[in-house]
Amino acid sequence: VDLTSACHPGRKHVLSMRVDALPLSALTMSSSDSNAPRQVAARVERRGLCGNLRLTSSPVGPRIADVKVATSVRNWQITFDTALTNLAPGASYTLRAQVSDGGKVVKEFSSPAFQSDELVDGRIRITENWRPEKLWDIHTPQNQYNVSLSLFSAGPKAVDTALPVRFGFREFWIDGRDL
């Protein structure tokens, strides 16, 4: 739900929600008599939220909505599959990725310039060659990296930076009967 038009900066706002607790099915088995179970109307015993509820603010203008990282050991490549929103038509953008290990930047990537009409279903895929020092495996679960993607328009300042994404450089494939 986009509340932008209803919320004005500097003012207080109250957000109220109605939450309906619905059973997973219309009927359930009664367990009051174990010798003769019967179907009865299902109901929810406890009310309230089960899980988390988040209210997130997002800036107006171009922004990174989602980042997925795919790695290939066979090709020694890394792909950043990124969803972008609110790009201005005709404007030129670039993505920059900083891969870090323990807070230290180990690799940086920068995409070629692109425009909003080059996105496919609101996403852009940037693939780069990279052979990292450490591979992630079941015996080396600590060998993971963090990547932070930033979106740049004209100028040296980023218009948006995504939260870091943790990933491991590995690949699993099936070749005939070999895994």
Side-chain angles (χ1 to χ4, degrees):
V1 177
D2 186 358
L3 303 174
T4 305
S5 62
C7 296
H8 303 284
R11 295 186 189 167
K12 279 191 170 185
H13 300 87
V14 175
L15 178 63
S16 300
M17 296 175 56
R18 176 185 166 166
V19 180
D20 291 326
L22 302 173
L24 296 175
S25 65
L27 298 174
T28 188
M29 298 300 286
S30 171
S31 60
S32 60
D33 184 3
S34 60
N35 293 327
R38 63 182 195 283
Q39 287 188 336
V40 296
R43 66 180 208 262
V44 178
E45 295 291 332
R46 292 166 186 80
R47 294 189 257 172
L49 293 175
C50 298
N52 297 327
L53 175 68
R54 290 183 202 178
L55 181 61
T56 306
S57 66
S58 54
V60 176
R63 67 185 183 91
I64 299 171
D66 179 45
V67 175
K68 294 180 183 175
V69 180
T71 58
S72 173
V73 174
R74 288 187 288 179
N75 300 323
W76 294 113
Q77 291 181 329
I78 186 166
T79 300
F80 305 104
D81 183 358
T82 310
L84 303 170
T85 59
N86 302 330
L87 298 185
S92 181
Y93 298 93
T94 58
L95 276 174
R96 292 187 195 155
Q98 280 191 332
V99 179
S100 60
D101 181 18
K104 178 184 170 193
V105 175
V106 293
K107 189 70 174 172
E108 291 184 304
F109 302 100
S110 186
S111 76
F114 61 89
Q115 294 184 346
S116 62
D117 60 352
E118 296 177 48
L119 273 60
V120 177
D121 295 326
R123 302 185 77 88
I124 189 161
R125 293 175 53 105
I126 308 297
T127 301
E128 297 285 344
N129 294 324
W130 183 39
R131 188 174 185 138
E133 291 182 23
K134 302 187 300 186
L135 297 179
W136 184 33
D137 200 350
I138 58 172
H139 303 295
T140 54
Q142 71 278 5
N143 289 354
Q144 295 187 36
Y145 298 94
N146 288 310
V147 65
S148 181
L149 259 66
S150 296
L151 179 65
F152 288 82
S153 187
K157 188 176 178 185
V159 293
D160 192 28
T161 299
L163 292 173
V165 174
R166 190 162 178 80
F167 73 96
F169 205 99
R170 70 175 178 180
E171 184 175 20
F172 181 81
W173 69 89
I174 300 172
D175 187 9
R177 293 177 12 179
D178 297 329
L179 303 176

